[in-house]
Amino acid sequence: MISTPRLDQADLVVVGAGIVGLAHAVEGVRRGLSVVVVERDDRPVGASVRNFGYVCLTAQTATALEYATTARQTWLQLAEQAGLWVRDSGAVVVARAEDEYAVLEEFQAVRDDVVLLDASQLRQRVPTGDDAVGGAWFPLDLRVDPRRAVPALAAWLAGQGVRFHWSTAMHTVEPGLVVTSRGEIKAGATVVAVGHDIDRHFPDLAEQAEHRRCALHMLKVGDPHGRVIDPAVLSGFSLVRYDAFRACPTVPALRARLTEQHPGLLEAGLNLMLTQCPDGDLLIGDTHAYAVTHDPFRSEDLDQAILEQAASLLGAGPLTVKQRWRGVYSSAPEPFLTGVPMPGVGLVSVTSGAGMTTAFGLAPHILDQLLA
């Protein structure tokens, strides 16, 4: 019988080096714990680097809004402490029809952190087509660089004494012990934060939570205007996607109109939005498809629809595609899949596509439960 070598030991072992896992590592460091992070890849390549880099506070509700509010402060603190690229620039919703602006008026009536914009004020903030009738500014939302934020945060954590084991897969977990492809790690407590692969380790819990994978079409395109677009940019399609807008009385009529005019896009779950990278290029998207296991094939029709809609939103001609990719994140009816399947072992997955938005608020809650 071959004995398993001892690899490491720590007060807190985090499995998964995406934003949710690293948020728990940050919280562990804040509490004075020794922390080890285990990641199966040699660098972050999952949902945390494939998104818009949008910290979408304003469109959240209930517990997600509470977590997002806490996370906002943590992002701003880490911008100073870890040198992360964080833009405190808010988000702008572009209304291209009167029914979209009506939703924003209703939303602003119940949220004092929302600023309505007329068409002229809107165009001072973002480039739009001639059909824009106005919009709204969400000043509390943030932007980060999705491709650099997580690697930079991991590097900063390493400087705080967190030990990383890259290219190391978790095989099994039990109270006080994590067995990996490189050896055993003795753990005071363990957080399993493996994103959409939570069902690979806890299939019964994932099935009970109705866990699936959400696949997204996203693209990186050249900026057609050559100007700085500081806020994140959302559209009327966003108003029928996010929870915070569902209480607005005119949303059903907006959904009906969009369904009639763009039935394929509503069926594909389009949330037309964009953010600008530090290099000036634009991240555009995205569609949403749900399954436990997705076919590996992408539809070019969906990419073309996103490109056409984004060009129309920007008032631009054909956009130049520089990259295409599929994003994948955890999805379930409830926005957070959490549990303590065994003593000292917590599992956590953000199942609403809001990991960048909520992780730093969720992590303290999880560690309070786990360490208690």
Side-chain angles (χ1 to χ4, degrees):
M1 180 176 180
I2 300 176
S3 62
T4 304
R6 172 66 59 82
L7 177 62
D8 211 334
Q9 67 179 57
D11 299 327
L12 175 66
V13 176
V14 178
V15 182
I19 191 59
V20 176
L22 295 190
H24 286 79
V26 168
E27 185 62 21
V29 168
R30 285 181 169 179
R31 298 184 184 209
L33 306 177
S34 60
V35 181
V36 162
V37 177
V38 176
E39 168 57 48
R40 68 183 182 184
D41 292 305
D42 67 355
R43 66 192 189 283
V45 295
S48 298
V49 300
R50 304 186 198 184
N51 60 76
F52 289 101
Y54 174 36
V55 180
C56 175
L57 183 152
T58 307
Q60 306 303 319
T61 61
T63 303
L65 179 58
E66 175 188 340
Y67 292 159
T69 302
T70 299
R72 182 182 194 278
Q73 297 305 314
T74 303
W75 275 114
L76 293 174
Q77 291 166 3
L78 288 170
E80 295 184 6
Q81 297 170 356
L84 302 184
W85 187 91
V86 178
R87 300 295 298 165
D88 190 2
S89 53
V92 167
V93 185
V94 177
R96 294 187 287 167
E98 293 297 338
D99 55 358
E100 297 172 5
Y101 193 76
V103 173
L104 293 174
E105 288 181 311
E106 293 169 347
F107 190 55
Q108 191 270 340
V110 297
R111 292 287 290 268
D112 57 9
D113 56 349
V114 172
V115 179
L116 292 175
L117 306 172
D118 62 26
S120 175
Q121 293 169 326
L122 174 71
R123 292 188 176 93
Q124 291 175 13
R125 295 181 181 273
V126 299
T128 66
D130 294 336
D131 56 351
V133 300
W137 178 46
F138 299 166
L140 296 181
D141 294 4
L142 302 175
R143 289 201 303 118
V144 303
D145 182 350
R147 303 188 183 195
R148 297 180 182 174
V150 174
L153 182 56
W156 178 78
L157 282 166
Q160 305 303 304
V162 175
R163 296 186 298 280
F164 284 81
H165 297 287
W166 301 99
S167 301
T168 303
M170 182 185 79
H171 288 170
T172 61
V173 59
E174 58 187 72
L177 188 67
V178 177
V179 181
T180 78
S181 54
R182 296 184 187 274
E184 296 181 346
I185 303 176
K186 186 177 180 181
T190 303
V191 172
V192 179
V194 292
H196 57 75
D197 285 338
I198 198 74
D199 57 353
R200 308 299 192 209
H201 303 283
F202 299 98
D204 293 338
L205 290 174
E207 288 180 4
Q208 291 171 13
E210 300 179 46
H211 173 269
R212 296 179 296 171
R213 290 167 177 79
C214 181
L216 321 170
H217 281 235
M218 295 186 66
L219 306 96
K220 185 179 185 184
V221 301
D223 173 17
H225 298 294
R227 62 174 279 188
V228 174
I229 305 175
D230 215 19
V233 181
L234 288 75
S235 70
F237 288 95
S238 307
L239 299 177
V240 299
R241 288 287 311 176
Y242 288 109
D243 287 346
F245 305 117
R246 290 178 183 171
C248 297
T250 57
V251 164
L254 171 59
R255 184 184 297 276
R257 194 262 297 174
L258 291 175
T259 300
E260 180 180 356
Q261 293 184 353
H262 309 284
L265 299 184
L266 266 289
E267 183 179 351
L270 177 64
N271 174 22
L272 180 64
M273 62 173 293
L274 62 91
T275 57
Q276 189 172 53
C277 301
D279 64 8
D281 289 340
L282 306 179
L283 304 180
I284 67 172
D286 57 353
T287 57
H288 298 74
Y290 302 89
V292 173
T293 302
H294 285 274
D295 290 333
F297 313 109
R298 285 169 53 101
S299 168
E300 182 64 17
D301 290 345
L302 288 180
D303 281 5
Q304 289 303 311
I306 293 171
L307 288 165
E308 291 170 6
Q309 287 293 325
S312 175
L313 183 72
L314 291 164
L319 301 174
T320 300
V321 178
K322 296 189 174 182
Q323 292 178 339
R324 305 171 190 256
W325 67 96
R326 168 180 279 181
V328 183
Y329 68 76
S330 272
S331 176
E334 296 297 323
F336 304 99
L337 196 171
T338 64
V340 181
M342 60 191 77
V345 176
L347 67 90
V348 56
S349 182
V350 178
T351 49
S352 57
M356 300 291 273
T357 299
T358 61
F360 289 114
L362 173 63
H365 172 73
I366 295 297
L367 289 191
D368 282 346
Q369 290 185 325
L370 190 61
L371 299 177

